[in-house]
Protein backbone atom coordinates (compact mmCIF):
# COMPACT_ATOMS: atom_id res chain seq x y z
CA UNK A 1 0.00 0.00 0.00
CA UNK A 2 1.26 3.46 -0.82
CA UNK A 3 2.40 5.80 1.92
CA UNK A 4 -0.61 8.12 1.60
CA UNK A 5 -2.89 5.45 3.04
CA UNK A 6 -1.00 5.56 6.32
CA UNK A 7 -2.56 6.76 9.54
CA UNK A 8 -2.91 10.51 9.31
CA UNK A 9 -0.77 12.89 11.36
CA UNK A 10 -2.20 14.84 14.22
CA UNK A 11 -4.76 17.51 13.57
CA UNK A 12 -4.73 19.37 16.84
CA UNK A 13 -7.64 20.71 18.80
CA UNK A 14 -7.97 24.11 20.42
CA UNK A 15 -9.74 24.57 23.71
CA UNK A 16 -13.23 23.13 23.64
CA UNK A 17 -15.09 26.44 23.48
CA UNK A 18 -13.40 27.19 20.17
CA UNK A 19 -13.16 23.76 18.60
CA UNK A 20 -16.71 22.43 18.76
CA UNK A 21 -18.44 25.23 16.88
CA UNK A 22 -19.24 24.87 13.21
CA UNK A 23 -21.67 27.54 12.28
CA UNK A 24 -22.90 30.40 10.23
CA UNK A 25 -21.71 33.71 8.88
CA UNK A 26 -21.72 37.22 7.57
CA UNK A 27 -21.52 39.31 4.45
CA UNK A 28 -23.78 40.37 1.61
CA UNK A 29 -24.60 38.11 -1.30
CA UNK A 30 -23.23 39.51 -4.53
CA UNK A 31 -21.01 38.39 -7.37
CA UNK A 32 -17.73 40.14 -7.92
CA UNK A 33 -14.23 39.62 -9.27
CA UNK A 34 -10.87 40.29 -7.62
CA UNK A 35 -9.57 43.77 -8.26
CA UNK A 36 -5.86 43.05 -8.49
CA UNK A 37 -3.54 40.50 -10.05
CA UNK A 38 -1.37 38.32 -7.86
CA UNK A 39 1.95 36.75 -8.55
CA UNK A 40 2.98 33.33 -7.36
CA UNK A 41 3.35 32.84 -3.63
CA UNK A 42 2.71 35.95 -1.59
CA UNK A 43 0.32 38.15 -3.55
CA UNK A 44 1.57 41.43 -4.98
CA UNK A 45 0.57 44.51 -2.97
CA UNK A 46 -3.04 45.40 -3.78
CA UNK A 47 -4.15 48.93 -4.57
CA UNK A 48 -7.41 48.28 -2.75
CA UNK A 49 -9.26 45.43 -1.10
CA UNK A 50 -9.53 42.28 -3.20
CA UNK A 51 -13.22 41.37 -3.49
CA UNK A 52 -13.99 37.67 -3.24
CA UNK A 53 -17.42 36.07 -3.50
CA UNK A 54 -18.25 33.01 -1.40
CA UNK A 55 -21.15 30.64 -0.63
CA UNK A 56 -21.29 28.83 2.71
CA UNK A 57 -23.84 27.23 5.05
CA UNK A 58 -24.95 28.68 8.38
CA UNK A 59 -26.41 26.90 11.40
CA UNK A 60 -27.94 29.62 13.56
CA UNK A 61 -31.52 30.85 13.35
CA UNK A 62 -30.46 33.84 11.25
CA UNK A 63 -27.51 34.58 9.00
CA UNK A 64 -25.29 36.93 11.02
CA UNK A 65 -24.64 40.39 9.71
CA UNK A 66 -21.66 42.66 10.33
CA UNK A 67 -19.74 39.93 12.12
CA UNK A 68 -16.82 41.68 13.86
CA UNK A 69 -14.37 38.80 13.40
CA UNK A 70 -15.03 38.64 9.67
CA UNK A 71 -14.73 42.44 9.39
CA UNK A 72 -11.37 42.25 11.20
CA UNK A 73 -10.28 39.40 8.91
CA UNK A 74 -11.08 41.56 5.88
CA UNK A 75 -9.06 44.42 7.35
CA UNK A 76 -6.04 42.22 8.11
CA UNK A 77 -6.06 40.51 4.69
CA UNK A 78 -7.02 43.54 2.58
CA UNK A 79 -10.08 41.77 1.21
CA UNK A 80 -13.81 42.30 0.87
CA UNK A 81 -15.65 39.01 1.42
CA UNK A 82 -19.09 38.94 -0.20
CA UNK A 83 -20.55 35.84 1.40
CA UNK A 84 -23.86 34.27 0.45
CA UNK A 85 -24.99 32.47 3.60
CA UNK A 86 -27.46 29.64 3.06
CA UNK A 87 -29.30 27.81 5.88
CA UNK A 88 -27.69 24.42 6.35
CA UNK A 89 -31.00 22.62 5.85
CA UNK A 90 -31.31 24.21 2.40
CA UNK A 91 -27.62 24.16 1.44
CA UNK A 92 -27.62 20.81 -0.34
CA UNK A 93 -30.48 21.87 -2.62
CA UNK A 94 -28.97 25.31 -3.21
CA UNK A 95 -25.63 23.75 -4.08
CA UNK A 96 -27.23 21.27 -6.47
CA UNK A 97 -29.13 24.03 -8.28
CA UNK A 98 -26.06 26.26 -8.46
CA UNK A 99 -23.92 23.42 -9.80
CA UNK A 100 -26.49 22.61 -12.47
CA UNK A 101 -26.83 26.22 -13.57
CA UNK A 102 -23.12 27.07 -13.35
CA UNK A 103 -24.01 29.98 -11.08
CA UNK A 104 -21.36 29.57 -8.41
CA UNK A 105 -19.34 32.18 -6.50
CA UNK A 106 -15.55 32.18 -6.59
CA UNK A 107 -15.20 30.20 -3.35
CA UNK A 108 -17.84 27.52 -2.90
CA UNK A 109 -18.14 25.15 0.03
CA UNK A 110 -18.88 21.68 -1.28
CA UNK A 111 -20.63 19.72 1.43
CA UNK A 112 -21.90 16.17 1.20
CA UNK A 113 -24.22 15.58 -1.74
CA UNK A 114 -25.77 12.12 -1.96
CA UNK A 115 -23.58 11.10 0.95
CA UNK A 116 -20.25 11.98 -0.71
CA UNK A 117 -18.15 15.07 -1.33
CA UNK A 118 -17.53 14.27 -4.97
CA UNK A 119 -21.14 13.68 -6.01
CA UNK A 120 -21.87 13.07 -9.73
CA UNK A 121 -22.49 16.76 -10.45
CA UNK A 122 -19.14 17.70 -8.90
CA UNK A 123 -17.29 14.87 -10.63
CA UNK A 124 -18.79 15.94 -13.95
CA UNK A 125 -17.59 19.49 -13.34
CA UNK A 126 -14.09 18.31 -12.49
CA UNK A 127 -13.90 16.09 -15.56
CA UNK A 128 -15.11 18.88 -17.85
CA UNK A 129 -12.55 21.34 -16.48
CA UNK A 130 -15.10 23.51 -14.69
CA UNK A 131 -12.99 23.80 -11.51
CA UNK A 132 -9.43 24.98 -10.98
CA UNK A 133 -6.84 22.35 -10.20
CA UNK A 134 -4.91 24.11 -7.45
CA UNK A 135 -2.39 21.39 -6.58
CA UNK A 136 0.44 22.75 -8.78
CA UNK A 137 -0.03 26.26 -7.32
CA UNK A 138 0.19 25.35 -3.65
CA UNK A 139 3.98 25.12 -3.67
CA UNK A 140 4.13 28.87 -4.32
CA UNK A 141 2.41 29.79 -1.05
CA UNK A 142 4.58 29.54 2.07
CA UNK A 143 1.81 28.47 4.47
CA UNK A 144 -0.41 26.40 2.20
CA UNK A 145 2.63 24.44 1.04
CA UNK A 146 3.89 23.61 4.53
CA UNK A 147 1.02 23.80 7.02
CA UNK A 148 -1.75 21.92 5.26
CA UNK A 149 -1.87 18.27 6.19
CA UNK A 150 -0.71 16.40 3.09
CA UNK A 151 -2.69 13.27 3.93
CA UNK A 152 -5.90 15.22 4.48
CA UNK A 153 -5.27 16.99 1.17
CA UNK A 154 -5.03 13.54 -0.36
CA UNK A 155 -8.29 12.51 1.31
CA UNK A 156 -9.99 15.56 -0.22
CA UNK A 157 -8.47 15.04 -3.66
CA UNK A 158 -10.13 13.70 -6.79
CA UNK A 159 -8.32 10.67 -8.18
CA UNK A 160 -4.96 11.99 -7.05
CA UNK A 161 -5.38 15.65 -8.06
CA UNK A 162 -6.16 18.61 -5.80
CA UNK A 163 -9.12 20.73 -6.77
CA UNK A 164 -9.92 21.82 -3.25
CA UNK A 165 -8.76 23.23 0.06
CA UNK A 166 -10.27 21.54 3.08
CA UNK A 167 -11.96 22.83 6.22
CA UNK A 168 -9.96 21.02 8.94
CA UNK A 169 -11.58 18.94 11.63
CA UNK A 170 -10.14 16.76 14.41
CA UNK A 171 -8.98 13.34 13.22
CA UNK A 172 -9.27 10.90 16.15
CA UNK A 173 -12.34 12.43 17.76
CA UNK A 174 -14.35 9.40 18.91
CA UNK A 175 -14.68 7.38 22.08
CA UNK A 176 -17.03 6.92 25.02
CA UNK A 177 -18.61 9.54 27.26
CA UNK A 178 -19.81 8.17 30.61
CA UNK A 179 -21.05 9.16 34.07
CA UNK A 180 -18.01 9.02 36.33
CA UNK A 181 -20.13 9.55 39.47
CA UNK A 182 -22.33 6.57 38.56
CA UNK A 183 -19.24 4.42 38.10
CA UNK A 184 -18.01 5.50 41.54
CA UNK A 185 -21.44 4.89 43.12
CA UNK A 186 -21.32 1.29 41.90
CA UNK A 187 -17.68 0.74 42.87
CA UNK A 188 -16.71 -0.07 39.28
CA UNK A 189 -13.62 0.78 37.28
CA UNK A 190 -13.35 2.33 33.84
CA UNK A 191 -13.94 -0.33 31.18
CA UNK A 192 -10.86 -1.36 29.24
CA UNK A 193 -12.31 -4.24 27.21
CA UNK A 194 -15.54 -4.91 25.32
CA UNK A 195 -16.70 -7.32 28.04
CA UNK A 196 -16.08 -4.66 30.70
CA UNK A 197 -17.94 -2.08 28.61
CA UNK A 198 -20.93 -4.42 28.49
CA UNK A 199 -20.82 -4.89 32.27
CA UNK A 200 -20.78 -1.12 32.87
CA UNK A 201 -23.72 -0.56 30.51
CA UNK A 202 -25.63 -3.37 32.23
CA UNK A 203 -24.92 -2.03 35.73
CA UNK A 204 -25.91 1.50 34.70
CA UNK A 205 -29.28 0.08 33.63
CA UNK A 206 -30.08 -2.39 36.40
CA UNK A 207 -28.18 -1.38 39.54
CA UNK A 208 -29.67 2.04 40.35
CA UNK A 209 -26.49 4.01 39.57
CA UNK A 210 -28.02 7.34 40.58
CA UNK A 211 -29.17 5.90 43.92
CA UNK A 212 -32.73 7.25 43.66
CA UNK A 213 -34.35 3.90 44.38
CA UNK A 214 -35.94 3.71 40.93
CA UNK A 215 -35.31 1.61 37.83
CA UNK A 216 -35.28 4.62 35.51
CA UNK A 217 -31.92 4.75 33.73
CA UNK A 218 -30.50 3.57 30.41
CA UNK A 219 -27.03 2.12 30.37
CA UNK A 220 -26.42 3.23 26.78
CA UNK A 221 -28.18 6.01 24.92
CA UNK A 222 -28.05 5.66 21.15
CA UNK A 223 -29.51 7.62 18.27
CA UNK A 224 -30.46 7.12 14.67
CA UNK A 225 -27.86 7.03 11.96
CA UNK A 226 -25.66 4.21 13.31
CA UNK A 227 -22.70 6.53 13.97
CA UNK A 228 -22.14 4.87 17.35
CA UNK A 229 -22.40 1.42 15.77
CA UNK A 230 -19.68 2.50 13.33
CA UNK A 231 -17.43 3.47 16.25
CA UNK A 232 -18.28 0.25 18.05
CA UNK A 233 -17.40 -1.77 14.93
CA UNK A 234 -13.95 -0.20 15.07
CA UNK A 235 -13.49 -1.56 18.59
CA UNK A 236 -14.37 -5.00 17.21
CA UNK A 237 -11.74 -4.66 14.47
CA UNK A 238 -13.81 -3.62 11.45
CA UNK A 239 -12.37 -1.22 8.90
CA UNK A 240 -13.45 2.38 8.44
CA UNK A 241 -16.18 1.99 5.76
CA UNK A 242 -13.64 0.22 3.56
CA UNK A 243 -10.55 -1.85 4.25
CA UNK A 244 -7.85 -3.46 2.18
CA UNK A 245 -7.72 -7.23 1.94
CA UNK A 246 -5.26 -9.00 -0.32
CA UNK A 247 -4.53 -5.76 -2.13
CA UNK A 248 -8.18 -4.91 -2.82
CA UNK A 249 -10.76 -2.70 -1.15
CA UNK A 250 -13.80 -4.34 0.41
CA UNK A 251 -16.72 -2.70 2.26
CA UNK A 252 -16.28 -3.16 6.00
CA UNK A 253 -19.95 -3.78 6.72
CA UNK A 254 -19.73 -7.23 5.07
CA UNK A 255 -16.95 -8.30 7.47
CA UNK A 256 -17.28 -10.69 10.40
CA UNK A 257 -15.98 -7.92 12.67
CA UNK A 258 -18.89 -5.67 11.72
CA UNK A 259 -21.34 -8.52 12.28
CA UNK A 260 -19.83 -9.10 15.74
CA UNK A 261 -20.45 -5.43 16.57
CA UNK A 262 -24.07 -5.87 15.40
CA UNK A 263 -24.43 -8.89 17.69
CA UNK A 264 -23.09 -6.86 20.62
CA UNK A 265 -25.60 -4.08 19.94
CA UNK A 266 -28.42 -6.59 19.49
CA UNK A 267 -27.56 -8.10 22.89
CA UNK A 268 -27.86 -4.65 24.48
CA UNK A 269 -31.22 -4.17 22.74
CA UNK A 270 -32.56 -7.61 23.69
CA UNK A 271 -31.61 -7.06 27.33
CA UNK A 272 -33.15 -3.57 27.34
CA UNK A 273 -29.81 -1.92 28.15
CA UNK A 274 -30.23 0.73 25.43
CA UNK A 275 -33.14 3.07 24.70
CA UNK A 276 -35.65 1.02 22.69
CA UNK A 277 -36.43 3.88 20.30
CA UNK A 278 -32.79 4.41 19.30
CA UNK A 279 -33.63 4.10 15.59
CA UNK A 280 -35.75 7.27 15.66
CA UNK A 281 -33.98 9.15 18.46
CA UNK A 282 -32.55 12.49 17.30
CA UNK A 283 -29.15 13.66 18.44
CA UNK A 284 -30.72 16.42 20.51
CA UNK A 285 -32.91 13.86 22.28
CA UNK A 286 -30.00 11.57 23.13
CA UNK A 287 -28.10 14.60 24.42
CA UNK A 288 -31.07 15.52 26.61
CA UNK A 289 -31.21 11.99 28.04
CA UNK A 290 -27.50 12.10 28.84
CA UNK A 291 -27.53 15.58 30.36
CA UNK A 292 -30.86 14.95 32.09
CA UNK A 293 -29.44 12.10 34.14
CA UNK A 294 -31.36 9.33 32.38
CA UNK A 295 -28.44 7.68 30.57
CA UNK A 296 -24.93 6.79 31.61
CA UNK A 297 -22.98 5.94 28.44
CA UNK A 298 -22.78 7.38 24.93
CA UNK A 299 -20.53 5.94 22.24
CA UNK A 300 -19.58 9.22 20.63
CA UNK A 301 -17.99 10.48 17.45
CA UNK A 302 -17.26 13.78 19.23
CA UNK A 303 -15.59 13.52 22.61
CA UNK A 304 -15.20 17.29 22.68
CA UNK A 305 -18.90 17.38 23.58
CA UNK A 306 -18.06 15.90 26.99
CA UNK A 307 -16.99 19.17 28.69
CA UNK A 308 -20.21 20.78 27.46
CA UNK A 309 -22.25 17.81 28.71
CA UNK A 310 -20.48 18.09 32.07
CA UNK A 311 -21.15 21.81 32.40
CA UNK A 312 -24.81 21.34 31.44
CA UNK A 313 -25.58 18.57 33.93
CA UNK A 314 -23.84 20.37 36.79
CA UNK A 315 -26.39 23.18 36.51
CA UNK A 316 -29.05 20.84 37.92
CA UNK A 317 -26.88 18.26 39.66
CA UNK A 318 -23.58 19.70 40.93
CA UNK A 319 -22.41 16.26 42.06
CA UNK A 320 -22.74 14.75 38.59
CA UNK A 321 -19.58 14.24 36.55
CA UNK A 322 -18.83 13.05 33.03
CA UNK A 323 -15.58 11.48 31.95
CA UNK A 324 -14.22 10.00 28.72
CA UNK A 325 -12.36 6.93 27.51
CA UNK A 326 -11.34 6.00 24.01
CA UNK A 327 -9.04 2.99 24.23
CA UNK A 328 -11.05 -0.21 24.34
CA UNK A 329 -9.15 -3.46 23.88
CA UNK A 330 -10.74 -5.46 21.08
CA UNK A 331 -9.77 -8.48 18.96
CA UNK A 332 -7.29 -6.35 17.00
CA UNK A 333 -6.09 -4.18 19.87
CA UNK A 334 -7.02 -0.55 20.52
CA UNK A 335 -8.55 1.25 17.53
CA UNK A 336 -10.44 4.49 16.84
CA UNK A 337 -12.27 5.20 13.60
CA UNK A 338 -10.64 8.23 11.98
CA UNK A 339 -12.55 11.09 10.44
CA UNK A 340 -11.43 12.29 6.99
CA UNK A 341 -9.71 15.22 8.73
CA UNK A 342 -12.05 17.68 7.04
CA UNK A 343 -15.69 18.74 7.00
CA UNK A 344 -16.47 20.05 3.56
CA UNK A 345 -14.09 21.52 0.99
CA UNK A 346 -13.60 24.78 -0.89
CA UNK A 347 -13.71 24.56 -4.68
CA UNK A 348 -13.11 27.28 -7.22
CA UNK A 349 -15.21 27.36 -10.43
CA UNK A 350 -13.63 28.77 -13.55
CA UNK A 351 -16.93 30.42 -14.46
CA UNK A 352 -16.35 32.98 -11.68
CA UNK A 353 -12.57 32.77 -11.17
CA UNK A 354 -11.62 33.86 -14.66
CA UNK A 355 -7.83 33.88 -14.57
CA UNK A 356 -4.94 32.20 -12.81
CA UNK A 357 -3.97 35.50 -11.22
CA UNK A 358 -7.43 35.71 -9.66
CA UNK A 359 -7.08 32.13 -8.44
CA UNK A 360 -3.76 33.02 -6.85
CA UNK A 361 -5.28 36.04 -5.12
CA UNK A 362 -7.88 33.77 -3.55
CA UNK A 363 -5.23 31.28 -2.46
CA UNK A 364 -3.33 34.23 -1.03
CA UNK A 365 -6.27 34.94 1.30
CA UNK A 366 -6.22 31.39 2.63
CA UNK A 367 -2.43 31.48 2.92
CA UNK A 368 -2.62 34.58 5.13
CA UNK A 369 -4.99 32.82 7.53
CA UNK A 370 -2.01 30.92 8.95
CA UNK A 371 -0.19 34.11 9.99
CA UNK A 372 0.10 34.40 13.75
CA UNK A 373 -2.29 37.29 14.44
CA UNK A 374 -4.88 36.09 11.92
CA UNK A 375 -4.80 32.51 13.19
CA UNK A 376 -5.36 33.78 16.73
CA UNK A 377 -8.22 35.97 15.49
CA UNK A 378 -9.92 32.99 13.85
CA UNK A 379 -9.47 30.87 16.97
CA UNK A 380 -10.47 33.33 19.68
CA UNK A 381 -11.89 36.51 18.18
CA UNK A 382 -10.83 40.02 19.17
CA UNK A 383 -8.95 40.67 22.40
CA UNK A 384 -10.97 42.88 24.73
CA UNK A 385 -14.23 41.88 23.05
CA UNK A 386 -14.21 38.10 22.94
CA UNK A 387 -11.47 37.29 25.46
CA UNK A 388 -8.74 38.69 27.64
CA UNK A 389 -5.43 37.22 28.73
CA UNK A 390 -4.50 36.04 32.21
CA UNK A 391 -0.95 34.79 32.65
CA UNK A 392 -0.71 34.63 28.88
CA UNK A 393 -3.73 32.33 28.57
CA UNK A 394 -7.05 33.08 26.89
CA UNK A 395 -9.95 33.46 29.30
CA UNK A 396 -13.20 35.34 29.26
CA UNK A 397 -15.82 37.01 31.34
CA UNK A 398 -19.36 35.72 31.01
CA UNK A 399 -20.09 38.51 28.52
CA UNK A 400 -16.91 37.82 26.52
CA UNK A 401 -17.67 34.11 26.35
CA UNK A 402 -21.21 34.77 25.14
CA UNK A 403 -19.95 37.11 22.43
CA UNK A 404 -17.21 34.68 21.44
CA UNK A 405 -19.68 31.82 21.12
CA UNK A 406 -21.99 33.87 18.90
CA UNK A 407 -19.38 35.62 16.78
CA UNK A 408 -17.14 32.59 16.28
CA UNK A 409 -19.95 30.41 15.02
CA UNK A 410 -19.34 31.18 11.32
CA UNK A 411 -15.57 30.95 11.47
CA UNK A 412 -15.05 27.19 10.94
CA UNK A 413 -17.02 27.54 7.72
CA UNK A 414 -14.43 29.80 6.11
CA UNK A 415 -11.17 28.83 7.81
CA UNK A 416 -8.47 26.43 6.61
CA UNK A 417 -6.49 26.75 9.86
CA UNK A 418 -6.39 23.64 12.03
CA UNK A 419 -6.66 24.05 15.78
CA UNK A 420 -3.01 23.52 16.68
CA UNK A 421 -1.86 26.51 14.62
CA UNK A 422 -2.95 29.45 16.85
CA UNK A 423 -0.23 30.48 19.27
CA UNK A 424 -2.63 31.65 21.96
CA UNK A 425 -3.86 28.88 24.24
CA UNK A 426 -6.75 28.86 26.66
CA UNK A 427 -7.40 28.15 30.28
CA UNK A 428 -9.40 24.96 30.29
CA UNK A 429 -11.12 22.56 32.64
CA UNK A 430 -9.33 19.30 33.50
CA UNK A 431 -11.85 17.37 31.39
CA UNK A 432 -11.32 19.65 28.39
CA UNK A 433 -7.57 19.23 28.75
CA UNK A 434 -7.96 15.45 28.97
CA UNK A 435 -10.04 15.38 25.78
CA UNK A 436 -7.51 17.55 23.97
CA UNK A 437 -4.64 15.28 24.97
CA UNK A 438 -6.67 12.22 24.04
CA UNK A 439 -7.18 13.57 20.52
CA UNK A 440 -3.42 13.88 20.11
CA UNK A 441 -2.57 10.52 21.71
CA UNK A 442 -5.11 8.60 19.66
CA UNK A 443 -3.64 9.48 16.28
CA UNK A 444 -1.49 6.37 16.61
CA UNK A 445 -4.56 4.11 16.77
CA UNK A 446 -6.73 5.97 14.25
CA UNK A 447 -8.06 3.78 11.42
CA UNK A 448 -8.40 5.65 8.14
CA UNK A 449 -10.72 5.00 5.21
CA UNK A 450 -8.50 4.00 2.26
CA UNK A 451 -11.22 4.81 -0.29
CA UNK A 452 -11.73 8.47 0.61
CA UNK A 453 -9.95 9.99 -2.37
CA UNK A 454 -11.28 7.72 -5.08
CA UNK A 455 -14.68 7.68 -6.69
CA UNK A 456 -17.01 5.17 -8.30
CA UNK A 457 -19.75 6.44 -10.59
CA UNK A 458 -22.03 3.60 -9.56
CA UNK A 459 -21.43 4.19 -5.85
CA UNK A 460 -22.16 7.90 -6.09
CA UNK A 461 -25.21 7.48 -8.31
CA UNK A 462 -26.69 4.71 -6.18
CA UNK A 463 -25.45 5.77 -2.75
CA UNK A 464 -28.96 6.49 -1.46
CA UNK A 465 -30.32 3.09 -2.47
CA UNK A 466 -27.25 1.23 -1.26
CA UNK A 467 -27.17 3.02 2.09
CA UNK A 468 -30.85 2.26 2.62
CA UNK A 469 -30.31 -1.47 2.01
CA UNK A 470 -27.37 -1.47 4.43
CA UNK A 471 -29.05 0.55 7.20
CA UNK A 472 -32.38 -1.28 6.93
CA UNK A 473 -30.50 -4.57 7.26
CA UNK A 474 -28.67 -3.36 10.36
CA UNK A 475 -31.92 -2.34 12.01
CA UNK A 476 -33.66 -5.59 11.08
CA UNK A 477 -30.79 -7.56 12.60
CA UNK A 478 -30.78 -5.61 15.85
CA UNK A 479 -34.56 -5.91 16.19
CA UNK A 480 -34.38 -9.66 15.52
CA UNK A 481 -36.29 -9.55 12.25
CA UNK A 482 -33.44 -11.33 10.44
CA UNK A 483 -30.74 -13.74 11.61
CA UNK A 484 -27.22 -14.36 10.33
CA UNK A 485 -28.56 -16.03 7.19
CA UNK A 486 -30.88 -13.09 6.59
CA UNK A 487 -27.97 -10.71 7.06
CA UNK A 488 -26.02 -12.55 4.36
CA UNK A 489 -29.03 -12.24 2.03
CA UNK A 490 -29.09 -8.49 2.61
CA UNK A 491 -25.40 -8.29 1.70
CA UNK A 492 -26.19 -10.16 -1.53
CA UNK A 493 -29.02 -7.71 -2.18
CA UNK A 494 -26.60 -4.81 -1.70
CA UNK A 495 -24.12 -6.37 -4.10
CA UNK A 496 -26.74 -6.93 -6.80
CA UNK A 497 -28.14 -3.38 -6.39
CA UNK A 498 -24.83 -1.88 -7.48
CA UNK A 499 -22.40 -2.67 -4.71
CA UNK A 500 -20.49 -5.28 -6.68
CA UNK A 501 -20.13 -3.05 -9.74
CA UNK A 502 -19.20 -0.11 -7.56
CA UNK A 503 -16.46 -2.11 -5.85
CA UNK A 504 -15.04 -3.09 -9.24
CA UNK A 505 -14.87 0.60 -10.19
CA UNK A 506 -13.31 1.62 -6.87
CA UNK A 507 -10.67 -1.08 -7.11
CA UNK A 508 -9.81 -0.11 -10.67
CA UNK A 509 -9.08 3.43 -9.48
CA UNK A 510 -7.34 2.15 -6.35
CA UNK A 511 -5.00 0.05 -8.50
CA UNK A 512 -4.09 3.10 -10.60
CA UNK A 513 -3.19 5.14 -7.50
CA UNK A 514 -1.09 2.34 -6.06
CA UNK A 515 1.02 1.54 -9.12
Amino acid sequence: MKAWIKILPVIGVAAMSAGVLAGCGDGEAETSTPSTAASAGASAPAKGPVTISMMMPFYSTEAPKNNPIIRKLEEMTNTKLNITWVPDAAYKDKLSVSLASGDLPQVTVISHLDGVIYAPAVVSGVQSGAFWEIGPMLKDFPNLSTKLNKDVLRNASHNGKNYALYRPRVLARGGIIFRKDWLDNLGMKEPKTLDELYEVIKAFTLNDPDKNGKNDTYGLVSRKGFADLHMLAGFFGAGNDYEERNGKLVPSFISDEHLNALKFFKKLYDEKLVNADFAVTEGSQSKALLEGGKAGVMISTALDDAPLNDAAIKKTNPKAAFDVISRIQGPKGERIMASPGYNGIFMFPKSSVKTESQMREILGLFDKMFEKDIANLLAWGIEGTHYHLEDGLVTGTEQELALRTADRMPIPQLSVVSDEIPTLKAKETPLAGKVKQMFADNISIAVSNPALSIQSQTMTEKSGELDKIKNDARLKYILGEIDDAGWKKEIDKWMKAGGEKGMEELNAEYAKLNK
Side-chain angles (χ1 to χ4, degrees):
M1 187 183 298
K2 293 288 186 181
W4 63 268
I5 301 291
K6 66 181 183 296
I7 298 295
L8 308 185
V10 62
I11 302 171
V13 58
M16 298 302 108
S17 63
V20 300
L21 300 173
C24 50
D26 194 22
E28 298 297 325
E30 57 183 86
T31 302
S32 55
T33 54
S35 58
T36 62
S39 59
S43 299
K47 295 179 181 179
V50 175
T51 303
I52 300 173
S53 59
M54 301 179 165
M55 185 172 78
M56 299 176 186
F58 73 88
Y59 295 80
S60 56
T61 54
E62 296 181 359
K65 298 179 180 178
N66 300 317
N67 183 287
I69 299 176
I70 295 177
R71 290 203 309 268
K72 187 67 173 178
L73 174 66
E74 291 175 319
E75 175 188 326
M76 296 174 73
T77 58
N78 194 30
T79 56
K80 169 61 179 171
L81 305 181
N82 288 336
I83 306 175
T84 298
W85 292 101
V86 180
D88 179 64
Y91 193 83
K92 179 177 177 179
D93 290 340
K94 172 68 173 176
L95 180 57
S96 296
V97 170
S98 298
L99 281 166
S101 65
D103 182 24
L104 292 170
Q106 294 166 309
V107 179
T108 300
V109 169
I110 305 293
S111 57
H112 286 74
L113 290 170
D114 302 322
V116 293
I117 291 292
Y118 285 101
V122 181
V123 171
S124 177
V126 168
Q127 292 174 342
S128 66
F131 294 99
W132 283 94
E133 182 190 352
I134 62 170
M137 303 182 200
L138 295 181
K139 69 180 185 304
D140 299 322
F141 294 86
N143 294 314
L144 295 179
S145 62
T146 59
K147 296 180 181 178
L148 290 176
N149 184 298
K150 299 298 188 296
D151 293 300
V152 179
L153 270 178
R154 174 69 70 173
N155 285 347
S157 67
H158 173 81
N159 288 342
K161 294 185 178 181
N162 289 116
Y163 294 86
L165 295 177
Y166 63 85
R167 299 187 306 180
R169 296 297 184 268
V170 174
L171 179 68
R173 196 181 179 199
I176 296 168
I177 300 172
F178 68 97
R179 283 288 296 272
K180 178 67 165 60
D181 56 316
W182 285 11
L183 204 68
D184 293 342
N185 286 345
L186 298 175
M188 301 183 76
K189 296 181 180 180
E190 290 183 5
K192 302 295 184 183
T193 67
L194 287 162
D195 287 342
E196 290 174 358
L197 177 61
Y198 165 77
E199 293 298 334
V200 167
I201 292 172
K202 183 177 180 179
F204 279 6
T205 307
L206 302 178
N207 295 355
D208 190 22
D210 56 359
K211 300 302 180 184
N212 68 351
K214 300 177 182 179
N215 184 17
D216 61 352
T217 55
Y218 296 111
L220 175 70
V221 60
S222 185
R223 65 260 188 228
K224 67 179 185 180
F226 295 108
D228 48 358
L229 177 64
H230 178 68
M231 190 65 58
L232 185 64
F235 296 153
F236 274 90
N240 190 347
D241 288 336
Y242 294 92
E243 55 191 282
E244 182 185 317
R245 292 186 179 181
N246 300 319
K248 289 191 174 183
L249 297 178
V250 294
S252 298
F253 88 96
I254 72 173
S255 68
D256 290 341
E257 292 86 354
H258 186 90
L259 181 57
N260 288 337
L262 266 178
K263 290 179 178 180
F264 183 92
F265 200 101
K266 174 175 169 51
K267 182 178 181 180
L268 298 180
Y269 178 81
D270 289 344
E271 297 179 9
K272 297 181 173 55
L273 307 183
V274 61
N275 52 310
D277 60 349
F278 72 91
V280 295
T281 298
E282 300 287 349
S284 59
Q285 294 172 312
S286 61
K287 179 174 179 285
L289 288 171
L290 196 69
E291 294 178 356
K294 295 299 182 182
V297 173
M298 177 181 283
I299 300 172
S300 176
T301 58
L303 286 188
D304 40 357
D305 287 342
L308 303 178
N309 300 143
D310 191 64
I313 199 171
K314 279 181 165 57
K315 291 179 181 178
T316 55
N317 182 2
K319 295 183 179 180
F322 282 106
D323 205 343
V324 292
I325 51 174
S326 57
R327 290 176 175 258
I328 296 293
Q329 187 72 30
K332 295 183 180 179
E334 296 174 338
R335 297 155 55 91
I336 288 291
M337 293 298 201
S339 79
Y342 65 84
N343 181 17
I345 54 178
F346 300 106
M347 295 187 73
F348 314 97
K350 292 182 178 178
S351 59
S352 51
V353 184
K354 302 291 187 182
T355 66
E356 182 175 328
S357 67
Q358 290 180 353
M359 186 64 253
R360 288 180 178 275
E361 282 183 326
I362 293 169
L363 292 176
L365 164 66
F366 289 109
D367 191 74
K368 289 176 183 176
M369 290 184 183
F370 289 90
E371 295 176 3
K372 174 183 174 182
D373 290 343
I374 297 176
N376 286 330
L377 169 74
L378 297 174
W380 305 111
I382 301 168
E383 185 175 3
T385 300
H386 301 109
Y387 70 92
H388 63 275
L389 297 176
E390 290 183 5
D391 300 324
L393 296 173
V394 172
T395 189
T397 63
E398 186 173 336
Q399 181 180 7
E400 287 172 340
L401 289 172
L403 286 172
R404 188 197 310 169
T405 298
D407 290 342
R408 274 208 74 260
M409 193 169 285
I411 303 309
Q413 303 308 313
L414 57 84
S415 174
V416 293
V417 179
S418 53
D419 288 338
E420 79 275 11
I421 298 296
T423 57
L424 289 178
K425 306 301 177 183
K427 287 187 174 181
E428 52 195 9
T429 66
L431 181 56
K434 181 177 181 178
V435 169
K436 180 179 177 181
Q437 187 61 49
M438 193 172 285
F439 286 162
D441 293 343
N442 286 347
I443 297 302
S444 63
I445 61 170
V447 179
S448 297
N449 178 352
L452 274 175
S453 67
I454 53 179
Q455 289 78 44
S456 153
Q457 183 175 347
T458 299
M459 287 295 197
T460 53
E461 289 178 350
K462 296 192 173 185
S463 61
E465 177 185 356
L466 293 172
D467 284 346
K468 186 176 188 306
I469 292 171
K470 179 169 56 179
N471 289 331
D472 285 352
R474 286 167 168 161
L475 183 58
K476 289 176 184 177
Y477 191 91
I478 292 168
L479 299 183
E481 296 176 6
I482 60 174
D483 56 10
D484 286 12
W487 174 252
K488 298 298 184 185
K489 288 180 181 179
E490 293 297 320
I491 291 175
D492 291 340
K493 181 179 177 181
W494 183 88
M495 290 291 187
K496 292 175 182 177
E500 185 173 9
K501 182 180 179 182
M503 290 311 303
E504 291 175 358
E505 294 169 356
L506 281 177
N507 274 296
E509 295 300 322
Y510 188 66
K512 291 178 185 178
L513 287 176
N514 285 276
K515 283 183 178 179

